[in-house]
């Protein structure tokens, strides 16, 4: 898919600018500040809830990293797609795939060392962004969305941890049965069926169902790193595993590649890493305890789309 737009002049402030380097820098500033601007518009209650909200009681068994084998890494390297876009490291996936038998052993050592020390390599936290035109005026930054490309090696690290943590969550039944997004054997069709079945049951009881449908704006960008980190211990995550996830989230940077030029690296202060393997899982863990806050309502969640509903007798 070609994400390049034909616009070569952009409105910056009150001026129209056609300098490619300036446009790239402004794009990177814009994408880096999206979440902060949205949080400024949001109700102050959001931050209040994150800071003073009641955390879940830690009843989960301790999650511990398991040693990754050379065969595990070799399998992941061989699954890489040859034509994937290249990240900031400029290492094509075809190189990693073709040299899998050579690099599998040293890469296994590095990954196991990362898990043992609780450190995620800084070089793998750099994202390359390509602006994708959506609609409207092509000279407005607001009408573009970021397509994020992470280094292929970061995906190998992430897949190892993702599988281990997902096994821990599923084996200990720690993910709400009302969450249907980003999970195997759960789908939007199942979520819809549960909601509609509940409406029918309420009708049989002579009850009318009222519902609120929500779809969070730029949901992945809005999540506070501190917020998700504070919730991880309730899932049995501590020690080196906890430190690894902190290191994975914090200190991320991104640069924009557009119109044949590349911007400087800009820091990312909040949000789940776009284009990552691990981001969606952390996202659903952040909202997983929403069920526990509802007393008189039901809820069905599919990633950032949520419906909250309740029923009562129909008054004539």
């Amino acid at each position: 898919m070609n994400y390049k737009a034909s616009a070569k002049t952009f409105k910056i402030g009150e001026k129209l600018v056609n300098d490619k380097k300036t446009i790239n820098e402004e794009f990177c500033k814009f994408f880096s500040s999206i979440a902060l601007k949205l949080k400024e518009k949001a109700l102050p209650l959001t931050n209040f809830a994150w800071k003073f909200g009641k955390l879940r009681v830690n009843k989960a068994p301790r999650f511990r990293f398991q040693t990754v084998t050379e065969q595990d890494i070799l399998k992941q390297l061989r699954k890489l797609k040859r034509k994937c876009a290249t990240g900031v490291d400029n290492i094509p996936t075809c190189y990693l795939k073709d040299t899998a038998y050579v690099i599998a052993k040293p890469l296994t050592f590095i990954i196991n060392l990362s898990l043992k020390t609780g450190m995620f390599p800084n070089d793998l936290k750099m994202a390359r962004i390509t602006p994708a035109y959506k609609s409207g005026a092509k000279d407005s930054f607001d009408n573009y969305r970021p397509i994020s490309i992470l280094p292929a090696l970061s995906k190998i690290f992430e897949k190892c941890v993702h599988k281990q943590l997902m096994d821990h969550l599923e084996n200990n039944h720690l993910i709400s049965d009302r969450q249907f997004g980003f999970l195997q054997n759960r789908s939007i069709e199942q979520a819809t069926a549960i909601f509609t079945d509940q409406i029918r049951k309420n009708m049989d009881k002579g009850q009318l169902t009222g519902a609120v449908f929500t779809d969070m704006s730029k949901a992945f960008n809005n999540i506070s790193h501190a917020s998700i980190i504070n919730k991880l211990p309730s899932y049995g995550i501590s020690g080196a595993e906890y430190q690894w996830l902190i290191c994975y989230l914090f200190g991320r940077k991104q640069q924009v590649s557009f119109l044949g030029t590349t911007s400087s690296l800009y820091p990312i202060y909040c949000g789940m890493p776009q284009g990552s393997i691990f981001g969606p899982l952390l996202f659903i863990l952040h909202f997983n305890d929403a069920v526990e806050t509802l007393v008189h309502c039901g809820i069905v969640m599919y990633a950032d789309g949520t419906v909250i509903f309740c029923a009562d007798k129909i008054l004539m």
Side-chain angles (χ1 to χ4, degrees):
M1 183 180 295
N2 183 13
Y3 293 115
K4 293 183 179 179
S6 60
K8 295 183 179 180
T9 302
F10 283 81
K11 189 175 182 180
I12 300 177
E14 298 299 322
K15 298 181 180 180
L16 288 176
V17 178
N18 58 13
D19 179 70
K20 296 180 181 180
K21 185 65 176 178
T22 302
I23 292 172
N24 255 14
E25 295 295 329
E26 289 299 321
F27 250 127
C28 203
K29 289 179 185 178
F30 174 76
F31 289 141
S32 298
S33 63
I34 286 177
L36 297 178
K37 290 179 179 179
L38 287 172
K39 284 174 67 62
E40 289 175 359
K41 296 178 181 179
L43 291 173
L45 181 61
T46 304
N47 284 331
F48 180 85
W50 283 348
K51 186 174 182 180
F52 300 103
K54 183 178 179 181
L55 298 177
R56 297 169 68 241
V57 178
N58 185 0
K59 297 181 180 179
R62 174 80 156 81
F63 169 64
R64 297 183 185 276
F65 285 140
Q66 302 298 316
T67 301
V68 177
T69 68
E70 187 176 336
Q71 284 301 116
D72 293 332
I73 303 305
L74 184 60
K75 182 178 179 181
Q76 294 299 335
L77 288 169
R78 295 174 66 182
K79 283 184 177 180
L80 291 174
K81 297 179 180 179
R82 291 184 176 276
K83 295 184 179 180
C84 287
T86 304
V88 175
D89 60 354
N90 291 319
I91 301 177
T93 54
C94 61
Y95 286 9
L96 298 174
K97 191 177 182 73
D98 292 340
T99 60
Y101 286 99
V102 177
I103 66 175
K105 185 173 182 178
L107 185 56
T108 302
F109 174 81
I110 294 172
I111 292 176
N112 282 323
L113 185 62
S114 168
L115 302 183
K116 182 178 179 180
T117 59
M119 299 295 292
F120 187 82
N122 286 330
D123 288 346
L124 301 185
K125 294 190 280 188
M126 311 297 179
R128 173 172 287 166
I129 306 295
T130 300
Y133 172 69
K134 296 183 295 183
S135 61
K138 289 188 176 182
D139 62 354
S140 173
F141 296 116
D142 287 314
N143 296 326
Y144 292 78
R145 63 187 177 90
I147 303 298
S148 177
I149 306 297
L150 293 169
L153 281 175
S154 72
K155 304 290 184 70
I156 304 298
F157 276 74
E158 290 185 64
K159 286 180 180 178
C160 295
V161 176
H162 183 278
K163 184 180 185 307
Q164 293 187 25
L165 181 55
M166 183 59 76
D167 288 343
H168 167 76
L169 295 170
E170 291 182 340
N171 292 340
N172 293 289
H173 309 289
L174 298 176
I175 298 180
S176 170
D177 59 1
R178 292 292 170 160
Q179 174 61 259
F180 294 87
F182 307 126
L183 298 170
Q184 286 188 345
N185 302 320
R186 301 193 195 185
S187 64
I188 187 64
E189 289 79 13
Q190 288 176 302
T192 304
I194 287 178
F195 178 52
T196 53
D197 284 348
Q198 188 61 54
I199 293 176
R200 293 191 184 98
K201 290 178 182 178
N202 294 338
M203 291 174 64
D204 292 340
K205 297 176 184 178
Q207 295 179 330
L208 180 67
T209 301
V212 175
F213 295 83
T214 66
D215 185 9
M216 290 172 283
S217 175
K218 301 186 185 301
F220 266 63
N221 300 82
N222 279 331
I223 295 180
S224 162
H225 289 165
S227 178
I228 181 61
I229 287 298
N230 286 339
K231 292 188 177 185
L232 292 179
S234 64
Y235 297 102
I237 302 172
S238 60
E241 291 77 10
Y242 183 69
Q243 291 300 321
W244 191 93
L245 288 169
I246 291 177
C247 189
Y248 169 81
L249 280 175
F250 285 85
R252 289 188 167 268
K253 296 181 180 181
Q254 65 184 20
Q255 64 178 193
V256 168
S257 292
F258 189 59
L259 300 175
T261 61
T262 302
S263 74
S264 306
L265 284 165
Y266 283 75
I268 305 172
Y269 295 108
C270 62
M272 295 297 100
Q274 292 191 27
S276 68
I277 303 295
F278 214 78
L281 178 55
L282 291 178
F283 180 87
I284 64 173
L285 288 183
H286 182 268
F287 291 99
N288 190 53
D289 56 356
V291 178
E292 301 173 19
T293 65
L294 301 176
V295 179
H296 303 293
C297 299
I299 186 172
V300 175
M301 299 176 285
Y302 188 85
D304 58 340
T306 302
V307 55
I308 301 173
F309 56 92
C310 60
D312 204 347
K313 292 287 185 180
I314 301 175
L315 301 177
M316 303 301 292

